[in-house]
Amino acid sequence: MIKNDLFLRALKGETVDRPPVWMMRQAGRYLPEFQEIKKKYDFFTRCQTPELASEITVQPIRRYGMDAAILFSDILVIPQAMNIHVEMKPNFGPYLPNPIRTQKDLDSVIVPDIQDTLGYVMDAIKATKEKLNDEVPLIGFAGSPWTILCYCVQGQGSKNFDKAKELCFTNPVVAHSLLQKITDTTIAYLKAKVAAGVDAVQVFDSWGGMLSPVDYQEFSWQYMQQIIDALKDSIPVIAFGKGCWFALNEMAKSGASALGVDWTCSARNARYLSGGNITLQGNFDPTRLFSPPSEIKKMVTQMINEFGKDKYIVNLGHGILPNIPLDNAKAFIDAVKEYKSPS
């Protein structure tokens, strides 16, 4: 049994003394101990070496004592496994030299054998579970099919993913076919993670907010729903769509255990739009971690009061930034641990 099960209890909607806390991208770039590893090994070596991935996963737990760990990995291990070449270029980000833009490009994309292509992730989960020693739960994750498609078609990061959207609107057959292949791979991948021992999974729809509400249903949400349907009976699923406040009502009916909210949606609106019965996670602006620690603590306390302590998981509204001061990250975590309900 997991000693600190606060995160899992919040996912079930149970009454708690304080909400649990973790931070998206907590395993990584803002930590000096991570930077030491980064100097020695390139990005995908860190992802693909279970000893390194597990060490990076537990570093923030050792330092700050969050209520959940999230496996160090990347959403782009999925296209890699699907026979799409992915590079991580320093000071540039992801680069896919052969983007998928035609039926011919799509023909070379496979739905892989997960153990064969991504077995290293399962090994990292087992190594991490050993290091965590049942202290806190471990979260596994994947990108949403739409977010993965964005990179596969654009070939790199983008402010608007215009080429990805162009493919959807000019050649929807290829777009949907690619989305389905990504969905099938993601379901198999997350099921393998569950078998390897993760305690919850999160699906990150980082670029969902690029789509209009109507297009979101067609090109993103229906595929996320397939993933939730395939997993919800075996594990809690958190669905996070950045910029997708307009879909919270639909998401709340999906069978997901919790919904992530970004910082552009107030607690009150998020509770209202999601119907008020589902666990919500978020939504501190990551850039606000540059504020002085005393101010961070006040803002976090206020955020918890606005969401309410139950059916709530404290988190950022997106990933932590690389140059956040360590004391400020600590203030964020400590504010939650010290939280007392206003009587």
Side-chain angles (χ1 to χ4, degrees):
M1 290 299 291
I2 289 169
K3 295 173 193 119
N4 173 358
D5 64 351
L6 194 56
F7 172 73
L8 299 175
R9 287 172 57 209
L11 284 172
K12 287 182 191 146
E14 292 178 12
T15 302
V16 291
D17 292 332
R18 67 161 177 91
V21 58
W22 67 281
M23 296 189 292
M24 289 187 267
R25 286 222 170 121
Q26 68 187 25
R29 51 208 187 157
Y30 67 108
L31 292 173
E33 51 269 47
F34 171 82
Q35 292 298 332
E36 287 305 305
I37 294 175
K38 187 182 172 186
K39 281 179 202 159
K40 295 179 198 159
Y41 306 97
D42 72 54
F43 183 79
F44 282 116
T45 301
R46 300 194 296 271
C47 290
Q48 291 162 2
T49 310
E51 185 46 45
L52 295 177
S54 60
E55 171 58 27
I56 293 165
T57 301
V58 298
Q59 282 175 346
I61 308 301
R62 281 191 206 121
R63 185 184 271 273
Y64 297 118
M66 290 86 167
D67 297 305
I70 183 163
L71 187 74
F72 176 77
S73 184
D74 194 78
I75 63 171
L76 296 178
V77 299
I78 287 270
Q80 276 184 330
M82 297 175 70
N83 199 31
I84 300 169
H85 184 66
V86 182
E87 297 168 24
M88 196 59 76
K89 288 190 167 183
N91 307 318
F92 179 82
Y95 178 65
L96 293 75
N98 309 305
I100 310 302
R101 295 182 186 165
T102 63
Q103 183 61 50
K104 187 167 176 291
D105 297 335
L106 184 65
D107 290 341
S108 64
V109 176
I110 61 166
V111 175
D113 175 307
I114 296 297
Q115 292 304 336
D116 190 35
T117 52
L118 292 164
Y120 64 85
V121 178
M122 312 318 142
D123 293 340
I125 289 168
K126 287 165 192 161
T128 305
K129 289 293 279 188
E130 239 167 78
K131 286 190 169 113
L132 288 172
N133 192 25
D134 289 332
E135 290 296 333
V136 294
L138 177 63
I139 305 165
F141 70 90
S144 73
W146 160 254
T147 290
I148 302 291
L149 173 138
C150 281
Y151 289 105
C152 293
V153 177
Q154 198 81 20
Q156 61 186 68
S158 166
K159 284 194 168 56
N160 58 9
F161 287 99
D162 52 339
K163 290 186 172 66
K165 291 173 78 171
E166 182 186 342
L167 176 75
C168 290
F169 305 152
T170 58
N171 200 338
V173 173
V174 167
H176 282 297
S177 187
L178 176 56
L179 284 163
Q180 193 58 57
K181 282 186 178 186
I182 297 168
T183 302
D184 295 345
T185 304
T186 303
I187 288 170
Y189 175 58
L190 289 175
K191 283 186 169 174
K193 283 188 170 183
V194 174
V198 298
D199 302 290
V201 296
Q202 175 157 318
V203 183
F204 283 84
D205 196 7
S206 300
W207 306 125
M210 298 280 169
L211 294 165
S212 74
V214 172
D215 292 331
Y216 186 72
Q217 291 299 327
E218 183 178 351
F219 294 103
S220 184
W221 184 251
Q222 64 163 319
Y223 297 99
M224 281 182 76
Q225 184 68 65
Q226 284 184 43
I227 295 168
I228 295 164
D229 287 342
L231 285 141
K232 67 182 181 188
D233 293 336
S234 55
I235 198 151
V237 181
I238 304 169
F240 172 60
K242 185 170 177 282
C244 301
W245 60 269
F246 55 79
L248 283 171
N249 189 261
E250 179 100 4
M251 289 174 162
K253 301 170 189 158
S254 65
S257 293
L259 304 178
V261 184
D262 69 43
W263 64 93
T264 62
C265 185
S266 69
R268 188 179 167 188
N269 280 347
R271 285 283 181 214
Y272 171 73
L273 292 166
S274 63
N277 291 317
I278 192 167
T279 297
L280 297 178
Q281 174 179 281
N283 69 342
F284 201 76
D285 181 347
T287 319
R288 263 290 174 191
L289 289 178
F290 286 114
S291 298
S294 60
E295 207 174 308
I296 291 169
K297 285 191 166 183
K298 274 188 207 141
M299 292 170 78
V300 170
T301 303
Q302 187 184 345
M303 180 172 77
I304 299 171
N305 288 340
E306 287 175 5
F307 275 99
K309 70 174 174 65
D310 295 326
K311 294 188 180 172
Y312 178 49
I313 296 161
V314 179
N315 207 318
L316 305 174
H318 206 224
I320 187 169
L321 301 164
N323 46 347
I324 294 296
L326 295 173
D327 286 348
N328 296 26
K330 183 177 190 302
F332 179 82
I333 303 297
D334 286 351
V336 187
K337 291 186 167 179
E338 294 159 7
Y339 180 77
K340 299 277 183 284
S341 283
S343 44

